[in-house]
Amino acid sequence: MTTDIKHPLPPFDEASATQKVRMAEDAWNSRDPDRVAQVYTEDTIWRNRAEFPRGRDQVRDFLQKKWARELNYRLIKELWVFEQNRIAVRFAYEWHDDSGNWFRSYGNENWEFNEQGLMQRRFACINDLPIKESDRLFHWALGRRPDDHPSLSDLNL
């Protein structure tokens, strides 16, 4: 069992849930599988599309493959609802494949955290929409989304 603690801790209020969502977005936008995997319990349970990674090692492997396939990945997450140790988010991200075909992927995630603030369950439903490069909306430099960049709601997504 890990002794890692990842603040903020449950039970969440609106401010701490919003902070947790932004921290997750920032980590995923780093595209660093090691950084992202550290916020999950060692025995985390995932559903991501039709894949079911179990544990940090499988999550890390999953993310390495994901970001090798989904190039120039830029993500925005938004808090949907929270209660106690659970948070639901909606998200969209843009990326292209190795042939230069662009996509915007939309989805929802349900998260459950343990007492140490580590995510023990992550269930994601995702749909991909092919887009033209000229239809992209996420134009910041790779990495953290700037604070002044529009949110999903601001972009009507």
Side-chain angles (χ1 to χ4, degrees):
M1 193 70 168
T2 184
T3 58
D4 293 340
I5 296 177
K6 300 294 181 193
H7 292 275
L9 304 176
F12 299 112
D13 59 20
E14 186 172 3
S16 62
T18 299
Q19 179 184 4
K20 202 74 155 175
V21 171
R22 183 58 193 245
M23 291 170 65
E25 176 187 314
D26 291 349
W28 280 69
N29 275 326
S30 76
R31 296 172 330 282
D32 178 346
D34 293 321
R35 176 181 173 189
V36 174
Q38 292 307 305
V39 303
Y40 298 96
T41 60
E42 293 176 18
D43 61 350
T44 191
I45 297 172
W46 276 33
R47 184 190 73 232
N48 195 92
R49 301 179 192 261
E51 296 186 58
F52 299 85
R54 297 290 187 261
R56 280 186 186 167
D57 291 339
Q58 287 185 17
V59 165
R60 188 177 296 105
D61 292 344
F62 168 86
L63 293 170
Q64 288 171 341
K65 292 173 190 164
K66 171 186 179 62
W67 289 318
R69 183 178 63 247
E70 296 178 356
L71 307 173
N72 285 308
Y73 175 97
R74 289 171 177 85
L75 165 74
I76 300 176
K77 290 183 181 280
E78 190 170 279
L79 177 65
W80 188 251
V81 69
F82 65 92
E83 183 178 45
Q84 299 296 317
N85 69 329
R86 293 182 174 165
I87 297 175
V89 300
R90 62 191 203 94
F91 64 87
Y93 62 92
E94 293 179 347
W95 58 282
H96 69 81
D97 62 19
D98 59 3
S99 297
N101 300 303
W102 280 92
F103 299 87
R104 185 174 303 121
S105 299
Y106 297 94
N108 300 292
E109 294 176 331
N110 296 315
W111 301 342
E112 183 179 83
F113 295 87
N114 69 8
E115 292 176 355
Q116 292 77 37
L118 296 168
M119 196 181 303
Q120 56 194 14
R121 296 181 198 278
R122 175 187 173 269
F123 304 115
C125 297
I126 307 167
N127 299 297
D128 299 320
L129 174 68
I131 61 173
K132 295 182 228 172
E133 185 172 4
S134 61
D135 292 334
R136 292 180 52 222
L137 299 173
F138 304 171
H139 293 286
W140 65 88
L142 288 176
R144 186 178 195 276
R145 176 175 55 99
D147 291 336
D148 63 351
H149 189 281
S151 68
L152 292 179
S153 292
D154 294 334
L155 293 168
N156 292 316
L157 294 179

